[in-house]
Amino acid sequence: QVQLMESGGGLVQPGGSLKLSCAASGIRFSIYTMSWYRQAPGEQRELVATIRNGGSTNYADSVKGRFTISRDNAKNTVYLQMNSLKPEDTAVYYCNAGLAMKRYWGQGTQVTVSS
């Protein structure tokens, strides 16, 4: 059974930082492309960042220079370091594992940026 378990969300003030984690089980983690998505209320889910099995990364323009995605294959975990957070970063953040036609999702973790 595949499980993706996100953690690390919470309430933070504008300009603050959070680090999200996603622990995977039931998959051969090292060969999967791992991504973070987010969905704000009333909005479509959007891709935030991707890290491939070789380590190459891509970011949405809205988070470039502020967010960093990384992975630890020994721990089957992918991270999202979020700095200089803005109110518009408020959303539920979801972890995604992808390989060919296979797609798996976590349950999401809420990030709220507010003073």
Side-chain angles (χ1 to χ4, degrees):
Q1 182 180 0
V2 178
Q3 284 192 323
L4 300 177
M5 187 68 66
E6 299 100 334
S7 61
L11 173 65
V12 64
Q13 292 187 342
S17 298
L18 280 176
K19 187 173 184 177
L20 306 183
S21 300
C22 171
S25 60
I27 60 172
R28 190 178 164 192
F29 179 82
S30 63
I31 66 173
Y32 275 72
T33 292
M34 301 300 299
S35 300
W36 287 96
Y37 287 74
R38 67 185 181 188
Q39 187 168 19
E43 302 289 333
Q44 289 190 332
R45 192 172 296 190
E46 64 172 349
L47 177 63
V48 175
T50 295
I51 184 165
R52 294 171 187 80
N53 56 9
S56 62
T57 58
N58 288 99
Y59 297 91
D61 287 344
S62 59
V63 307
K64 279 181 183 176
R66 300 189 298 122
F67 291 10
T68 302
I69 189 171
S70 61
R71 65 191 298 162
D72 185 336
N73 290 337
K75 295 183 178 180
N76 288 357
T77 301
V78 62
Y79 304 98
L80 186 68
Q81 176 68 47
M82 305 185 294
N83 298 328
S84 302
L85 283 161
K86 305 175 181 180
E88 51 263 44
D89 295 317
T90 295
V92 178
Y93 283 71
Y94 297 90
C95 177
N96 174 273
L99 180 66
M101 298 302 293
K102 297 178 182 178
R103 293 289 184 272
Y104 302 106
W105 292 92
Q107 83 291 346
T109 185
Q110 176 70 46
V111 171
T112 302
V113 185
S114 175
S115 55

